[in-house]
């Protein structure tokens, strides 16, 4: 430090930039915090004191990194780009400061969502058509996962604005079935994100550090041994249904305990079970007494069906197609809160078991 003080270098900055950093403390603090996140994270003991940054940052490293989570909204990606740089369109990429971001738009084509019963987020990977590959944004996320570095999670609710919702770290990745923008089934990456208070590792909760310690940085392939849940004929449907059920049952045998990791395992296992039920339903409400509009579809052409556990999981229900049913919204509402729900639940359980038996047996009359 004495040698540097004697030389008094301008660090290679043009005079206008050097003057800015020398006279505006907030700008200097922001630059210092950014350098710490990108190149010195986790921060070694006494590092701030030794470099004199403790006086500049004064314990406000998180506040110096802009934008602050939850502080600003943007009506579209263009206004966000005008404020922070980076790229305007793709779902994965850095801002002008070089820190990686993922963008989850509820109006977009991907099935990004919160994982039930956890604080975790399922974020679908990069690529709109065809099977997703470990290239582009997916490769960038894999690098961040391996290095256990935080990313910015941006979220846009239906009819809402873009908001920098939280910092997050990747604790798991899976290969799962999903639909591309042409409505074709394909394999895509599901990245499991754990929100954290800041990009600085010493602020991360113990439960997140535990998930990171368990992460193998390998892809868990939930499509292995199964095929896309679409069938050309009844025989094909039966075979694919059986494969999905076998995948569900295999994971069912492997899991025990109630850790956060087990919750994510149950969630992805349930996703396989839901695909099996939708395949079985073939676009129709499975309530034999359905009086609604079972043939309506969404704007994307998908059936308006909700897959539900006949026996609730909280009451010991099983995550398996034999106890799950595909219902139109009206029948789902009756099953959940209608005055006849008890009798309907009992009936639907028999229907689910019967439909499961039809597709799970090797020989079906007439096929």
């Amino acid at each position: 430090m004495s040698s540097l003080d004697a030389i008094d270098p301008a660090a290679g900055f043009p005079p206008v930039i050097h003057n800015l950093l020398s006279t505006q403390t907030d700008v200097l603090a922001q630059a210092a915090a950014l350098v710490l996140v990108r190149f010195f994270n986790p921060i070694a003991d006494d590092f701030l004191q030794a470099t004199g940054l403790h006086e500049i940052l004064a314990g406000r490293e998180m506040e110096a990194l802009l934008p602050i989570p939850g502080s600003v909204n943007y009506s579209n990606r263009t206004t966000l780009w005008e404020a922070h740089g980076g790229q305007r369109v793709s779902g994965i990429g850095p801002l002008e400061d070089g820190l990686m971001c993922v963008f989850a738009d509820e109006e977009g084509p991907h099935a990004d969502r919160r994982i039930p019963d956890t604080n975790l987020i399922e974020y679908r990977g990069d690529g709109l058509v065809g099977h997703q590959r470990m290239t582009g944004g997916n490769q960038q996320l894999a690098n961040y996962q391996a290095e256990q570095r935080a990313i910015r999670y941006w979220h846009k609710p239906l009819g809402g604005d873009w908001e920098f919702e939280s910092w997050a770290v990747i604790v798991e990745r899976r290969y799962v079935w999903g639909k591309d923008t042409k409505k074709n089934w394909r394999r895509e990456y599901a990245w499991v994100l754990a929100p954290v208070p800041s990009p600085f590792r010493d602020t991360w909760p113990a439960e997140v550090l535990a998930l990171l310690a368990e992460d193998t940085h390998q892809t868990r392939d939930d499509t292995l041994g199964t095929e896309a849940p679409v069938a050309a004929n009844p025989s094909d449907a039966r075979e694919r249904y059986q494969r999905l059920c076998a995948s569900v049952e295999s994971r069912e045998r492997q899991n025990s305990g109630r850790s956060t990791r087990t919750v994510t395992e149950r969630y992805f296992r349930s996703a396989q079970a839901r695909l099996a039920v939708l395949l079985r339903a073939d676009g129709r409400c499975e309530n034999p007494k359905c009086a609604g509009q079972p043939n309506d579809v969404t704007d994307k052409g998908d059936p308006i069906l909700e897959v539900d556990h006949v026996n609730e999981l909280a009451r010991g229900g099983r995550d398996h197609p034999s106890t799950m049913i595909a219902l139109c919204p009206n029948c789902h509402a009756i099953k959940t809160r209608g005055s006849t729900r008890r009798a309907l639940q009992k009936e639907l359980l028999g229907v689910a078991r019967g439909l499961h038996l039809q597709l799970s047996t090797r020989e079906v009359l007439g096929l």
Side-chain angles (χ1 to χ4, degrees), residues 22-69:
S22 301
T23 58
Q24 297 194 26
T25 306
D26 288 346
V27 175
L28 178 58
Q30 183 180 355
L34 180 60
V35 170
L36 288 174
V37 168
R38 294 190 62 178
F39 305 109
F40 298 94
N41 190 17
I43 304 172
D45 294 339
D46 299 327
F47 180 82
L48 299 182
Q49 187 79 25
T51 57
L53 291 177
H54 68 291
E55 297 180 359
I56 298 168
L57 293 170
R60 58 188 186 95
E61 296 91 339
M62 290 182 284
E63 299 176 14
L65 278 173
L66 300 179
I68 297 172

Side-chain angles (χ1 to χ4, degrees), residues 6 23 28 45 62 75 84 104 151 169 180-181 244 279 312 316 334:
T23 58
L28 178 58
D45 294 339
M62 290 182 284
S75 59
H84 302 289
I151 60 178
V169 289
D180 64 15
T181 54
L244 284 167
L279 175 63
E312 299 297 336
I334 296 173

